Amino acid sequence: HYPQMLPSFRDLEPAEKRSVQFTQCNLCFNHGWFVQAEAPPGAIFTKFREALIRDHRSQIGQQDVALYFVHWLTDLAGAEPTPLA
């Protein structure tokens, strides 16, 4: 809500800000189904596609979707800080 308080975000280009904001949106995407191949592609990606069209009006590109998944992977990696302990 206060982007001016975050210089690293404030100084981004508008397209870059949109990419960062996209990583934080709710897409109703079930990562567990995706990673474990527990559902057919239609069940996994239908809501994802609908959210992209409805909420983002096709302003989201391949690089934004890639950043979304990289963000998810890094989030997942940080969930268990000491896996060998």
Side-chain angles (χ1 to χ4, degrees), residues 1-58:
H1 297 318
Y2 302 99
Q4 68 277 12
M5 301 297 286
L6 300 168
S8 58
F9 182 78
R10 180 192 63 215
D11 296 338
L12 293 174
E13 297 295 324
E16 294 168 330
K17 287 181 183 177
R18 194 169 38 250
S19 292
V20 171
Q21 289 169 330
F22 178 67
T23 65
Q24 302 303 310
C25 70
N26 184 6
L27 294 176
C28 300
F29 184 77
N30 189 322
H31 291 93
W33 284 2
F34 179 69
V35 171
Q36 298 174 15
E38 292 180 348
I44 295 174
F45 292 108
T46 299
K47 294 286 185 188
F48 187 82
R49 182 177 180 277
E50 288 173 359
L52 287 176
I53 294 168
R54 180 189 64 240
D55 299 340
H56 301 285
R57 296 170 193 78
S58 300

Side-chain angles (χ1 to χ4, degrees), residues 74-85:
T74 58
D75 209 24
L76 180 66
E80 188 67 37
T82 54
L84 301 177

